[in-house]
Amino acid sequence: MRQQNGLHLPQIGWWLDAQKAQHRSFISHAHSDHIGAHREIVATCATASLMRLRLSGKRQETILDYGQPWVADFGCEFRLHPAGHIFGSAMLEARSEHGTLLYTGDFKLRPSLAAEPCQPVVADVVIMETTFGLPKYDFPPDAQIEADIVAFCRQALEDNVAPVLYAYGLGKTQELLQIVGRAGLPVMIHPHGYRMTQRYTELGMKLPRYAQLDPHHYAGYVIIAPPMTGATEPMTWINPKRTAIASGWALDSSAKYQFGCDAAFPLSDHADYPDLLAFVERVQPKVVYTVHGFAKEFAATLRARGIEAWALGQQNQLDLGLV
């Protein structure tokens, strides 16, 4: 296995979430940092469909249902399992005569209002995402987070101020729509997230009513929009407004200042620290490899608990067996 702009399993010739164009790659989900212009992919139906919205061009697609076996090269069997990250997100189970490898991609154990429930499986080796791999990232109960978001929006509307919730267009936008829409509040979505939300509906997810953001008639609506970055046009024309960021990083005391918002809510589509530990307990691996976020720190935590664990992190030339 090698890590460089994705993970590579040279024994079977497949990449995992490669960011640069490769001959073949498994795609765990359709966020832009997990896809590339590959010649051949393996993914769920929802991931492949969402990927087509973000990346043009022709590619050979092997579409697998959750749990459906598919034999790749050298007799290695693939199965996909729900990752709980966004709609269609999947973990890859690769099974061979040597044992079983589970690659998580981005995941979370807590139930999501806009993704299939995560379903870990027992494996000999796991490669897991550890974005929030420090003890301080222990998210409040979902019900509390959701109530706080709704209260923020209601108060803004009562004050005749436009509530603007900043969130990525794919995944978090749809989860916020579920939270706010189920509370009976009208919602408008920025065009960046609107077409993704339409695709969710086309793929069969039931969502509350929503409309595309209208620059002239947004009063009385909760607005969901992507975070304001250099690539996103600032919505200075929405005035007055009250803004909030929905992100797991909201647990950092500086979050609302860092994002330039009035409030920050720790709504995340990633596993927090307790869920990372719970995930390892459920998978019962012999070896753990950690990637992303606090990978070194979480690997050290697991070693202290008697589990062999190593951070791939920056070891781009690390060569390992499949299992």
Side-chain angles (χ1 to χ4, degrees):
M1 178 176 62
R2 297 195 306 272
Q3 181 188 20
Q4 187 174 19
N5 297 309
L7 293 162
H8 186 221
L9 303 178
Q11 299 89 343
I12 58 174
W14 279 86
W15 284 79
L16 311 176
D17 283 338
Q19 298 171 33
K20 293 184 178 180
Q22 304 294 341
H23 179 70
R24 51 180 58 161
S25 181
F26 162 67
I27 307 296
S28 67
H29 65 284
H31 278 150
S32 58
D33 58 339
H34 288 256
I35 63 176
H38 313 303
R39 290 176 56 187
E40 180 181 357
I41 67 167
V42 164
T44 65
C45 177
T47 292
S49 180
L50 290 163
M51 183 175 170
R52 291 181 211 120
L53 282 180
R54 315 199 85 172
L55 197 62
S56 61
K58 294 182 179 180
R59 62 189 69 90
Q60 180 181 336
E61 298 177 347
T62 296
I63 306 299
L64 298 180
D65 294 331
Y66 293 125
Q68 177 186 349
W70 182 74
V71 179
D73 291 346
F74 305 103
C76 184
E77 181 183 273
F78 285 1
R79 291 178 190 260
L80 307 188
H81 304 280
H85 177 57
I86 66 171
F87 196 29
S89 61
M91 299 179 286
L92 173 67
E93 176 190 4
R95 184 179 296 271
S96 75
E97 61 182 359
H98 303 291
T100 307
L101 169 73
L102 182 66
Y103 168 71
T104 68
D106 293 344
F107 77 99
K108 75 170 182 178
L109 287 184
R110 300 180 322 282
S112 170
L113 295 174
E116 302 86 349
C118 184
Q119 296 181 16
V121 295
V122 173
D124 299 309
V125 175
V126 64
I127 305 170
M128 63 183 294
E129 170 258 329
T130 52
T131 297
F132 293 112
L134 291 181
K136 70 174 183 176
Y137 294 110
D138 184 351
F139 299 143
D142 289 344
Q144 177 185 329
I145 299 171
E146 294 166 15
D148 289 345
I149 291 171
V150 171
F152 171 88
C153 295
R154 287 194 190 281
Q155 187 61 58
L157 292 172
E158 290 177 8
D159 295 340
N160 294 315
V161 174
V164 180
L165 303 177
Y166 290 135
Y168 291 115
L170 175 56
K172 195 74 67 66
T173 284
Q174 294 74 34
E175 190 166 12
L176 283 171
L177 171 60
Q178 294 278 37
I179 293 169
V180 178
R182 289 183 179 188
L185 300 178
V187 177
M188 281 189 173
I189 299 177
H190 187 281
H192 284 191
Y194 182 79
R195 64 176 187 152
M196 295 295 174
T197 307
Q198 284 185 308
R199 184 55 57 92
Y200 268 52
T201 302
E202 294 165 3
L203 289 166
M205 179 170 286
K206 293 183 178 180
L207 296 169
R209 293 181 62 182
Y210 61 94
Q212 184 167 330
L213 178 58
D214 184 335
H216 306 290
H217 302 96
Y218 58 80
Y221 286 84
V222 176
I223 298 168
I224 304 176
M228 296 296 100
T229 66
T232 307
E233 179 185 358
M235 294 186 295
T236 54
W237 45 270
I238 298 180
N239 190 39
K241 61 179 176 288
R242 194 169 296 162
T243 61
I245 184 73
S247 168
W249 302 114
L251 288 185
D252 292 336
S253 59
S254 62
K256 69 178 184 179
Y257 306 105
Q258 179 182 348
F259 290 104
C261 294
D262 299 304
F265 301 107
L267 180 71
S268 179
D269 46 21
H270 294 263
D272 66 357
Y273 182 80
D275 273 356
L276 291 174
L277 292 174
F279 179 87
V280 174
E281 290 180 3
R282 290 174 64 174
V283 175
Q284 301 174 35
K286 298 174 183 175
V287 183
V288 176
Y289 296 106
T290 58
V291 293
H292 304 309
F294 295 100
K296 280 187 178 179
E297 293 84 349
F298 191 72
T301 295
L302 293 182
R303 289 197 299 274
R305 292 169 174 247
I307 300 170
E308 183 178 348
W310 307 99
L312 293 184
Q314 308 200 356
Q315 301 177 54
N316 294 330
Q317 300 305 317
L318 184 63
D319 289 322
L320 304 164
L322 176 59
V323 294

